[in-house]
Amino acid sequence: WSSDVCSSDLVLERDGHACVICGAKKPTRLHVHHILKRRDGGTHHHDNLLTVCPRCHVKAYRELYDPEWETSVDVDLGGVWK
C-alpha cells in the first residue's frame, strides 16, 4: 500500500473478494465503494475504499455515508465494516 492510488483488484483482495457488509462473494458482482465521496474530497487511497455487493452499495451510499468523515481518521461504523 505504498501509493495514494489503489487499484480495485488490491481492495478486492484485501477484503477477501467479499462484500464487507453482508459477506456476499462471487458470482455476485462486487463494487469498490468510496467511503468519503470523490465529490467531497475522497481519494482512491485504500483507506477510503471498501468492497460491497450492489445491494449493500446502495445502502452504503444512502444510509451509512456521513460527509463529516475524513479519510485520515479510522471511521467507526458501528461494527458494520470489517
Side-chain angles (χ1 to χ4, degrees):
W1 305 111
S2 60
S3 174
D4 285 341
V5 176
C6 188
S7 78
S8 296
D9 290 336
L10 289 174
V11 175
L12 290 166
E13 183 177 329
R14 179 200 64 198
D15 294 339
H17 295 272
C19 175
V20 298
I21 297 176
C22 74
K25 293 187 174 206
K26 290 187 174 188
T28 299
R29 185 167 187 264
L30 298 171
H31 301 173
V32 175
H33 171 69
H34 288 83
I35 298 169
L36 181 64
K37 296 176 185 176
R38 296 281 298 148
R39 70 171 184 236
D40 294 327
T43 69
H44 293 303
H45 190 270
H46 68 90
D47 287 342
N48 190 47
L49 301 171
L50 296 169
T51 302
V52 291
C53 68
R55 181 177 172 198
C56 291
H57 202 173
V58 172
K59 181 177 181 178
Y61 184 80
R62 292 183 182 166
E63 299 173 23
L64 300 177
Y65 175 74
D66 181 339
E68 297 301 315
W69 293 339
E70 296 181 22
T71 57
S72 62
V73 176
D74 185 19
V75 178
D76 179 7
L77 295 173
V80 174
W81 314 108
K82 286 184 184 178

